[in-house]
Structures are given as structure tokens and as C-alpha cells.
Amino acid sequence: MPAFRQVGEKQLPNPVLCMAWSPKRDLIALANTSGELLLHRLANFHRVWSLPATEHTGKEITALAWRPDGKILAFALGDTKQVVLCDVEKAEILHLFTVENAVSCMTWMEVVEESSVLSSFYNSEDESKLFLPKLPALPKSYSTTSNIFSEEKSDEIMNLLGDVRLNILVVGGASGCVELYAYGMYRIATLDKVPGSCRSLSLSTDLKSLSVITEVRSVDNNPEICYVQLDTGLLSDCLPEVTRMARKFSHISTLLQYLRLSLTCMCEAWEEILMQMDLRLTKFVQEKNTNTQVQDEFLELLLWGQSSPELQALLMNQLTVKGLKKLGQSIESSYSSIQKLVISHLQSGSEALLYHLSEVRGMCLWKHKFEPLGLNAAAIEDAITAVGSFSLKANELLQVIDKSMKNFKAFFRWLYVAMLRMCEEHVPPELNKMTQKDISFVADFLSEHFSENEELFDRKGKYFNVERVGQYLKDEDDDLVSPPNTKGNQWLKFLQESSHLKESPLLFPSYPNKSLHFVKRMMEGVIEGCLQNPAEVIGKSVKQAIFMPLYTVPESSENTPRLFELPSQWNDKKANMHYVVFTMPEGSPCKLYMLRRATDPYRPVANSVVSVDLSNILSAGLQHNGGPADAQPDCVYSCLDARFYDDEMLTVVLCAPEGEEDRGRVLAQLPLGSAHSCQNEFNWDPALRLDQQSGSVPSQALVLENQWRILENMKAQFVAVNGIRKVACVLSANLRHVRMFEMDVEDEEDEEGGDSQKASADQDVLEASMNSQGDREDNGDGRGPDSGPESGAEAKEPMEDVETHLESQEELELV
């Protein structure tokens, strides 16, 4: 029986650029040329969800990486130079950050080192929950008509942190710049001295070294593939301190995102309709024929009940009684919603931010432990001061909202009665009563808000600023049009008169002339500067330990997607080893080379470079299994792709030489143990590339027994594997045809025959459909207008079933 059981097959409408298996579930993520991100499950290659490309995020996906717990998927976009973190359960973007250079490769690893200090930190990490209230769920959308918040199911933003154990997202760019992000959010190190362009990355789980495959231009301008090992000893030596600092800074980054989204919700709650009063009064000033001031017109109406024809036309024809009621309701609804968001979200988020920054300040005082990591006490103090200023500005906005609501309520009540009298309609008795105190209150409001301002007209194109809340939500550098009136404030007067308190560091500056958005951006800038210093210090501590030129890039691979190209890397957590597998088709087409280095860059390793001779690798297997007639025992195979299945196994795609393609391509498992059992040691000449001395590399011949399978009716080229879930996905040379396999289960002959017939039929259908309809999805995906019944059922599957399936997968993991 053929090895490996085929469990799914699909012809895709768009070429695949990269694919990556989930580390915890039978799910595989694919990115195609249209910029779409797809998530498929193993069984029948059923699509769970798709995330289309957008102008906001980007359309050119260049790399994929799963968080080690399988709950977050990161993807990089080359056109917008962004890295996006996506929630796997809901296909929702939770966080994104911009990088300086376009990302060419990514990897996401988890630290496995254990110590008593780390265990104590893991157990006490949630102490903040004892002192801080739980942050309210962020509103997803806001409707002003129904005044209803549509809340997300849970605190997705706060769940970005995941497990307390340190995990690091490593991002590499085409310019050789490498960045490390703790928990996928906080940039913990920036490395800008990596030579060439990054092709693949592998950070050891003990944090002792970073293994990088780069493409470097040689003296004669030919591209060369090189192996670089960077010494990251500071991260390893200070692991408990790095974990504490990274966790705190990731909390801070998450809270900044929370405040940013809360402020966005406040801006959505504020409506442009609130500007109507200012614009109509400005138009009234421009069109009226008298020299009377607007506030005098309204005061005359207030005191004597009489108005000029121009004012009466403004109120009755432009504002109208119905429009006044709508404006009043809009203001009350909008201000109430903003007020609730400030109290429940901005203030609680600011308190949590102050708490975590204060804890970081405490770390700074332990100089022996944290000073080598670049923590700066002065920068932390500045960050705390900036957050305090933001809290003061949010409190100032609350006072402005409260005062505005009272003013508008009294003003609209009086104006509504006056307009009813103008049109000789009945005035309700409860509105007809107005005390002297009420008249004085409205008169003060008219004097303060209805005076014409020529300077304001030059700045904003209007003479009035009756609405005072919106100016706080404007994302601009200009000063507030109408800053709060602080005359008579005894506290401010006391501060100004006190020489000791005036410049005291214990008091937060208030920035009375700036908007809430401005103070928020200032706070973000100070905190970003505070977080940036450790990344620079740790980055400078990283040194290049090893540089090995491997081989020149063959011209035949220029059109190959770089994310599928060899070399492939692997980190052996148990043996603390870096593995690199690659081929050199120009000189040794039938050999597969393996380089291994200790994660400690200065520890020597025996048999650091070996090769596997693929000549006649299937001879015994073909004779034993009675292979097809065209697969002769003397067939010489070469390797198209190779990926590490686990610490002891390598999954490869093999092909016959030119002229013998009808023999079919082979999916096989190669044991690594025998490859490293070679007795001969290779002595590397540092003056030469490896391909220039490949004849001296020890070679080991392998013969497979039954761990291989001929891939019929498929021009296989690439493979993605997951040894934990024991699955593989094979991709064809045209990047559209995929097959899914369970690797530890043998297939049955009748199933094999059925699968082969199905593959042939699907391939014929694909060729016809691609020629006629181009970008249209195939029936199996259920997205095309002519999809059949089966695809329609797939497309209509409710999200509840999807989430149930993902939850069941998690339960299986626990079992």
C-alpha cells in the first residue's frame, strides 16, 4: 500500500505565494497573488475563512508566521510595509505595525527554558488584576440613531498578549534589517548589520543565537546564498529580566492600542450635524444687511421677544422647529456617548497604563538587573508624565461636555419656545415657565458663544464656535479654537503664585490649549521613545559569530517564489542545534546538503556539513513494493524541495532527471540519524564557498524502504509539513494544485485509484476553467456565480460550525 494517506485535493484559482501549517491544529494558511489570505482545514481542504486584500492593509503578502499557540496568524505586506496580527477564530485584524523595510521572511518562536525565577514570574504575572478593574469591551461599531453599542464577544485586543511564556516574532527584510518583537507586539531588538537580503530566519529556543540565510552580492555581482549566525547571548543571559520587561512593555503596547481605538469610537460618536449651528450663523452674518451683532439679535429676542426679519428667516426657514429638535437630540445623544467612553474607557485605560509604567520604573531602580537591557529611568518618568497629562486632558473634556450639555439644554429649550411663538403654535405649559435665573444663564451663554470672531474666520472659515466638544477630537496640531476659561480657578492661581509648585515634577502639565488627540499623539511619541531605547541597546549587543558563503544562486530559480526556495531551517530544541538543508543543483544535482551548528555559536560540532546521495534512493523500495513499470531501479532522483518534519525526519519532493519526467514525482521521508553518522569530518576552507569545495563534503547514501509515495497526475514542486500534527501539503509547479496528506497513515489501494482519477479530472477542469474565466473561484471553493450544490453548501456553512470545529480541535489537543 502507498505510504501516507491523501485526505484532500484542490485546484486553486490564484497562484499560492506562501503556505504555513498551524502549530496546534490541522489548519493551513495560504496567501495568493491577489493578496488574499486563506485558512483551510486538513479534511477535504475545506476553506474555513478568507481575508481579502484591502487598501488599508495592503495587497502583497510576502510572509506568514503562526504564534506558537496557534491563536494568532501574522502576515507581512510588501506594498504597505506592515505586519498584521490576525485572530484565527474570527478572521479579524487585531493589531498591525509598520516596519522600515518590506518584510521578506518571518518566524515566530517560543522560549522553552525553565528556571525558578521564571516560574515565579509566570505564577505572579496576573497580580495587576488584583489592583486594576477589568477594562470594558471595546465598541465595535456605533449607531447614533439607535444609541446601541455592538460589542465584540470578548476583549480581543487585551488577549493579544496570549500566554505569559515569552514568544518572539522575528522579522527579516530585503535590506538585511532584522527586528525581534516580544509577544508579536513590542520591538525588543533591532539588528541592522546583517549582510545582504534575508531569505529565512531561525531563532533558537534558548535565545543564544539567531540563524539567518541571506543573499549577498559577490565581488563580480553574482548573488550568493550565505549562512550567518548571530550571537544573541544578552537575551539568553538576562532571560528572566527580558521576559519581565517584554511582558510589561507588551502590556503597555496593548493599552496604547486600546486607548487609540477608544478615541476612534469617540470620534465616530461625534457627528458633523453638530457643526450646523456654527455654519448657519456664519452664513447669517454674511447675508444680513444690518450692522447689528448676532449676539445682540439673540439677546433682543431673549429680553423683548422681538427679532429682526433676518433672524426670523434664519430660525424659521433654515433651522426650523423640526431641525432644532433633531439638533438637540443629536447633541444630547452624541455628548452622552462620548462622556461614557471617556469615563469607562479612556480613564480606566490611562490608569492601567500608569500602573504598568510605574512597575517599569521600579525595574529601572534595580540597575544591576535591568540597566544592561537599556531601561532608562528618566525616559520612564517622562512617559508617566505624558500619561498623566492625557488623563488631565480627558478629565477636562468631561467638564466641557458637562457644561455644554447644560448650556445647550437651556438654550434649545428657550429657542424652541421662541420659535413656537413666532409661528403662533401652542407652547406646552411645562416649557412656558422661565425664571430670572434661567434668563441670566441663557444670556451668559449667548454672550460667550455668539460673539463674532474675525480671527476664527481666517483660520476655520467661520465666525462662531458654539459647539466646543468637537475641537478636542480633531487630529490636528492647531490650538483649541475655544480653550476652557480658567479665570477664577483658585487652584491654578495658587500654582502660579507658588515658586515651589510651579515647576514641580510631581504635577502633570495640562496643555490647556491643545486637543485630546494632540496630547494622545504626544503621549504615544514619548512612550515609543521610552520603548525604543532597550531595542537599540539589545540590538547593539548582538554580534556576528559565523559567516559561511554556501553557493551561488542558479539562474533557473530566478522566477521561483522566494518563500518556497531552499535553504530551509530548523531548530532542534532538545539538542540545541540549528539545521539548514539545501541543494546545489549547478554542481551536485543529486545531493542534498545539511549544515548544522550549535545554538551556542562557540561550541564546536562534529559532522557540521554532510550530504545525502539521492542516486537510486528508491531502488530497494521499488523492488520491494513492485513499483510502476516506468520507475526503474536505476532512476537517479534530485531534490526539488525539503522541509524538516521533526528533529529526526526530513520531508522531500523528488523528481527524475530531464527526459524521464514520466516517472512521476515522489514525496518521501528521509531519516536524519543515518545522515549524520558519517565518520569523515569536513574541513571547511573559509576562503572558498561551499560549492567550490563540495567534492570534499562527506556523502551518505540512503535507500528508503516504504516511506515514500509517487505523486501521480501532479507536477509537484513544493511541500509544507507539520510534524506535530503529522500532516503535509504538496503544491504543484504552477502554484495552483494542492494535495493534503496524513503522513503516519498508509493509504489504501482503492482510495489511491479513486484519488488519482479525481486528480486527473480536476486537472482537466482546471485548465479549461482557467482559460475561460481567469480569476473566478472554482466550484470547490463555493465563491463563483455558477457554483454547484456542493460548493453552495460549503459557502453557506455558518460561522458557528467553524468555531465549533476549531474548539473541538483544541479539545483533541488536551486529550
Side-chain angles (χ1 to χ4, degrees):
M1 293 186 293
F4 326 135
R5 182 171 66 186
Q6 181 176 327
V7 293
E9 185 168 13
K10 185 77 72 173
Q11 302 282 2
L12 301 175
N14 296 305
V16 174
L17 290 178
C18 46
M19 54 186 180
W21 282 100
S22 166
K24 296 294 185 181
R25 303 170 180 170
D26 293 337
L27 299 171
I28 186 170
L30 306 174
N32 58 31
T33 53
S34 67
E36 188 178 23
L37 182 65
L38 305 165
L39 187 70
H40 289 260
R41 64 167 65 111
L42 175 67
N44 299 320
F45 202 69
H46 175 75
R47 189 179 67 200
V48 180
W49 52 253
S50 65
L51 194 65
T54 64
E55 295 290 342
H56 174 61
T57 55
K59 298 182 178 181
E60 181 188 343
I61 298 179
T62 58
L64 296 175
W66 288 84
R67 196 168 74 180
D69 63 3
K71 296 181 179 179
I72 302 292
L73 177 63
F75 60 97
L77 296 137
D79 49 348
T80 57
K81 297 181 181 180
Q82 292 186 128
V83 176
V84 181
L85 304 187
C86 174
D87 177 48
V88 175
E89 294 285 348
K90 300 182 178 181
E92 291 181 350
I93 294 176
L94 300 181
H95 181 68
L96 57 84
F97 56 88
T98 303
V99 291
E100 187 174 346
N101 301 288
V103 175
S104 57
C105 54
M106 290 195 305
T107 184
W108 207 333
M109 56 73 65
E110 185 176 60
V111 174
V112 297
E113 291 292 305
E114 294 288 353
S115 68
S116 58
V117 177
L118 280 174
S119 299
S120 174
F121 172 67
Y122 295 157
N123 296 330
S124 63
E125 199 272 340
D126 289 336
E127 285 183 352
S128 61
K129 296 180 180 179
L130 301 176
F131 307 106
L132 296 173
K134 183 179 179 181
L135 295 177
L138 282 166
K140 187 176 181 182
S141 59
Y142 180 78
S143 172
T144 56
T145 56
S146 59
N147 197 26
I148 294 176
F149 285 97
S150 176
E151 293 187 352
E152 298 179 1
K153 185 178 292 186
S154 60
D155 310 72
E156 281 85 357
I157 300 300
M158 303 312 298
N159 288 340
L160 270 172
L161 290 171
D163 187 62
V164 65
R165 185 182 297 274
L166 179 63
N167 59 77
I168 299 177
L169 175 65
V170 188
V171 175
S175 63
C177 180
V178 178
E179 296 179 337
L180 279 63
Y181 289 85
Y183 303 100
M185 297 190 63
Y186 162 57
R187 187 174 60 187
I188 200 172
T190 302
L191 320 177
D192 54 4
K193 297 181 181 179
V194 180
S197 174
C198 297
R199 295 276 292 268
S200 69
L201 303 158
S202 177
L203 180 62
S204 63
T205 54
D206 58 7
L207 293 184
K208 290 185 176 180
S209 63
L210 173 64
S211 177
V212 187
I213 298 296
T214 67
E215 181 181 317
V216 181
R217 288 287 172 177
S218 63
V219 178
D220 51 0
N221 203 32
N222 291 325
E224 292 181 352
I225 299 300
C226 302
Y227 174 78
V228 180
Q229 190 172 8
L230 303 174
D231 180 2
T232 57
L234 180 61
L235 292 177
S236 177
D237 296 340
C238 302
L239 178 58
E241 293 77 23
V242 169
T243 303
R244 286 176 179 270
M245 182 185 72
R247 190 68 177 178
K248 280 299 171 188
F249 280 176
S250 297
H251 270 295
I252 292 168
S253 299
T254 304
L255 287 168
L256 286 176
Q257 173 78 346
Y258 181 85
L259 292 176
R260 195 177 300 119
L261 294 177
S262 299
L263 196 52
T264 300
C265 293
M266 291 168 56
C267 294
E268 292 176 357
W270 187 84
E271 300 178 75
E272 291 294 332
I273 191 175
L274 307 183
M275 299 290 294
Q276 287 186 4
M277 182 66 74
D278 296 340
L279 299 177
R280 285 173 177 166
L281 288 175
T282 299
K283 186 178 180 182
F284 172 67
V285 171
Q286 295 172 335
E287 294 180 352
K288 68 186 180 70
N289 298 322
T290 63
N291 295 326
T292 311
Q293 294 289 326
V294 173
Q295 65 175 356
D296 294 338
E297 296 263 4
F298 277 92
L299 285 173
E300 186 176 350
L301 178 61
L302 172 66
L303 297 177
W304 312 112
Q306 297 178 357
S307 62
S308 64
E310 291 87 353
L311 179 61
Q312 187 169 353
L314 168 69
L315 297 177
M316 303 306 298
N317 299 333
Q318 296 185 33
L319 186 59
T320 72
V321 174
K322 186 177 179 181
L324 181 66
K325 291 179 65 176
K326 183 179 179 181
L327 182 59
Q329 293 171 355
S330 297
I331 288 178
E332 184 176 4
S333 172
S334 179
Y335 283 7
S336 298
S337 300
I338 295 174
Q339 192 176 44
K340 291 176 183 177
L341 285 168
V342 173
I343 295 172
S344 61
H345 291 73
L346 285 194
Q347 288 189 337
S348 56
S350 300
E351 290 172 2
L353 200 53
L354 281 173
Y355 172 86
H356 289 292
L357 283 171
S358 299
E359 294 242 306
V360 176
R361 179 174 56 184
M363 294 179 188
C364 293
L365 300 179
W366 198 353
K367 295 185 179 181
H368 174 68
K369 292 286 188 180
F370 291 95
E371 194 172 43
L373 299 178
L375 278 184
N376 189 319
I380 300 298
E381 289 287 355
D382 291 341
I384 291 175
T385 301
V387 175
S389 297
F390 179 76
S391 298
L392 287 179
K393 183 58 66 172
N395 189 61
E396 178 185 310
L397 176 59
L398 282 178
Q399 296 177 5
V400 171
I401 292 175
D402 185 62
K403 183 178 179 180
S404 296
M405 290 179 71
K406 293 179 180 177
N407 288 340
F408 276 119
K409 187 175 182 179
F411 172 70
F412 284 140
R413 178 178 177 176
W414 161 74
L415 191 59
Y416 179 66
V417 172
M419 292 174 68
L420 288 178
R421 288 172 176 166
M422 285 182 187
C423 57
E424 298 181 352
E425 292 187 10
H426 173 69
V427 178
E430 62 273 12
L431 298 179
N432 205 16
K433 298 178 181 179
M434 196 169 186
T435 64
Q436 186 64 37
K437 184 177 180 180
D438 295 335
I439 295 175
S440 300
F441 189 84
V442 174
D444 292 339
F445 175 75
L446 291 173
S447 300
E448 182 179 354
H449 292 74
F450 281 69
S451 58
E452 298 177 26
N453 190 335
E454 296 288 345
E455 181 183 352
L456 177 60
F457 183 80
D458 296 335
R459 286 175 55 191
K460 302 292 184 180
K462 60 180 184 179
Y463 289 104
F464 305 93
N465 189 47
V466 178
E467 200 280 316
R468 301 290 173 91
V469 175
Q471 59 182 347
Y472 284 85
L473 306 179
K474 298 291 184 181
D475 191 4
E476 54 189 28
D477 295 333
D478 294 343
D479 290 348
L480 294 177
V481 173
S482 303
N485 186 3
T486 58
K487 292 181 180 179
N489 190 312
Q490 297 297 322
W491 169 249
L492 292 179
K493 182 180 179 181
F494 172 71
L495 289 181
Q496 293 298 325
E497 294 175 352
S498 173
S499 59
H500 299 287
L501 292 178
K502 190 174 182 180
E503 303 296 333
S504 173
L506 300 177
L507 300 177
F508 300 139
S510 60
Y511 302 101
N513 294 322
K514 296 297 181 180
S515 68
L516 182 65
H517 250 297
F518 178 88
V519 178
K520 188 264 298 182
R521 283 193 284 112
M522 183 195 68
M523 175 187 70
E524 289 177 333
V526 174
I527 293 179
E528 286 297 327
C530 163
L531 304 187
Q532 187 176 357
N533 191 57
E536 294 177 354
V537 171
I538 296 174
K540 291 178 181 178
S541 73
V542 177
K543 306 297 181 184
Q544 179 178 301
I546 296 172
F547 180 82
M548 296 179 175
L550 300 179
Y551 59 92
T552 57
V553 179
E555 295 180 0
S556 59
S557 67
E558 290 182 356
N559 296 326
T560 305
R562 288 298 171 87
L563 292 168
F564 290 126
E565 278 190 338
L566 293 175
S568 172
Q569 295 201 72
W570 178 261
N571 176 235
D572 188 338
K573 304 176 182 64
K574 297 178 182 178
N576 291 327
M577 301 286 288
H578 285 298
Y579 285 89
V580 182
V581 60
F582 55 94
T583 60
M584 294 188 289
E586 297 293 322
S588 307
C590 299
K591 287 187 177 181
L592 185 65
Y593 292 86
M594 279 182 286
L595 167 68
R596 64 174 183 172
R597 301 290 307 182
T599 56
D600 182 353
Y602 309 104
R603 178 166 66 92
V605 176
N607 295 325
S608 60
V609 181
V610 297
S611 64
V612 176
D613 189 356
L614 302 177
S615 301
N616 304 320
I617 193 171
L618 305 182
S619 297
L622 287 168
Q623 294 172 358
H624 177 75
N625 294 337
D630 58 347
Q632 299 299 326
D634 60 348
C635 180
V636 178
Y637 284 90
S638 60
C639 181
L640 294 175
D641 196 14
R643 304 292 158 178
F644 285 90
Y645 184 74
D646 55 29
D647 294 337
E648 301 175 353
M649 194 73 68
L650 193 67
T651 304
V652 298
V653 176
L654 306 176
C655 74
E658 292 185 10
E660 301 182 20
E661 291 86 352
D662 56 343
R663 296 178 183 270
R665 301 196 174 183
V666 176
L667 178 67
Q669 297 275 66
L670 300 184
L672 297 177
S674 57
H676 291 287
S677 61
C678 185
Q679 300 299 322
N680 299 326
E681 185 69 29
F682 172 66
N683 295 318
W684 190 303
D685 184 353
L688 300 175
R689 290 193 312 267
L690 181 62
D691 60 351
Q692 295 172 329
Q693 47 189 324
S694 59
S696 303
V697 177
S699 181
Q700 194 80 357
L702 292 181
V703 176
L704 300 180
E705 292 296 332
N706 59 354
Q707 289 297 302
W708 59 274
R709 174 182 179 137
I710 294 179
L711 300 171
E712 299 179 355
N713 303 308
M714 182 182 190
K715 194 175 181 181
Q717 186 80 20
F718 309 107
V719 64
V721 295
N722 183 347
I724 299 175
R725 306 300 299 181
K726 305 184 186 306
V727 290
C729 177
V730 179
L731 180 66
S732 66
N734 68 0
L735 308 179
R736 296 174 184 265
H737 184 188
V738 296
R739 282 186 188 173
M740 315 288 283
F741 294 95
E742 290 182 344
M743 302 301 286
D744 282 6
V745 182
E746 290 187 350
D747 209 347
E748 297 181 5
E749 293 291 349
D750 56 346
E751 292 178 355
E752 167 67 16
D755 290 340
S756 299
Q757 294 174 5
K758 182 175 182 284
S760 301
D762 284 347
Q763 200 160 11
D764 294 338
V765 171
L766 175 67
E767 293 173 357
S769 61
M770 290 300 107
N771 291 333
S772 62
Q773 296 188 3
D775 293 335
R776 199 199 75 179
E777 288 266 16
D778 68 315
N779 288 348
D781 277 338
R783 299 177 62 191
D786 301 323
S787 298
E790 182 179 351
S791 63
E794 179 180 321
K796 295 177 182 178
E797 178 176 296
M799 281 303 297
E800 289 81 358
D801 293 346
V802 174
E803 295 178 2
T804 303
H805 173 79
L806 298 181
E807 292 172 358
S808 66
Q809 292 289 343
E810 288 182 336
E811 294 173 0
L812 288 175
E813 295 165 21
L814 297 175
V815 176

